[in-house]
């Protein structure tokens, strides 16, 4: 055994192979979310005042699909990355809320 063999075994991510079904469902879900966003804007199916929030909600759901299905954030060994991503998202959302509130109330 070489000196690096033990370190490579310790650092291997724990990957479970769920099969094609999960990826296929997520891919079809992503396509449907994209189609919904396109239909909402192209055919004006969503009221004008709700279009941007609707697109943002679809984008958040799409990002969660990307994180948990394609980037495997739901598996063991990704706890630090998951906490960091959600903490960063919380602080960004809080900053956006504060700045919007600041502009609307201050104006």
């Amino acid at each position: 055994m070489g000196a690096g063999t033990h370190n490579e075994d310790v650092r291997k991510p724990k990957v479970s192979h769920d099969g094609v079904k999960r990826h296929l469902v997520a891919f079809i879900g992503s396509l449907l979310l994209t189609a919904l966003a396109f239909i909402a804007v192209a055919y004006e199916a969503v009221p004008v005042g709700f279009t941007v929030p609707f697109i943002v909600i679809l984008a958040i759901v799409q990002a969660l699909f990307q994180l948990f299905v394609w980037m495997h954030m739901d598996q063991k060994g990704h706890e630090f990355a998951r906490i960091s991503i959600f903490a960063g998202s919380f602080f960004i959302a809080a900053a956006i809320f504060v700045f919007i509130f600041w502009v609307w109330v201050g104006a």
Side-chain angles (χ1 to χ4, degrees):
M1 281 189 163
T5 306
H6 179 67
N7 290 338
E8 291 173 5
D9 291 339
V10 173
R11 293 183 182 158
K12 280 187 178 178
K14 296 166 183 72
V15 177
S16 65
H17 300 284
D18 294 333
V20 178
K21 183 180 179 183
R22 180 177 174 190
H23 287 113
L24 189 60
V25 168
F27 179 68
I28 291 171
S30 294
L31 288 177
L32 287 174
L33 289 172
T34 303
L36 278 174
F38 178 76
I39 290 168
V41 174
Y43 297 108
E44 297 176 0
V46 177
V48 176
F50 187 64
T51 302
V52 172
F54 182 70
I55 300 292
V56 169
I57 290 168
L58 291 177
I60 291 170
V61 172
Q62 182 90 306
L64 291 173
F65 268 158
Q66 297 293 325
L67 282 172
F68 287 104
V69 175
W70 303 114
M71 296 178 72
H72 305 288
M73 282 293 162
D74 58 342
Q75 295 177 354
K76 290 182 180 180
H78 293 103
E79 289 82 14
F80 181 74
R82 192 177 327 143
I83 291 170
S84 300
I85 288 170
F86 289 125
S89 298
F90 171 77
F91 286 117
I92 289 170
I96 290 171
F97 177 77
V98 166
F99 289 130
I100 289 173
F101 186 73
W102 186 3
V103 169
W104 279 347
V105 171

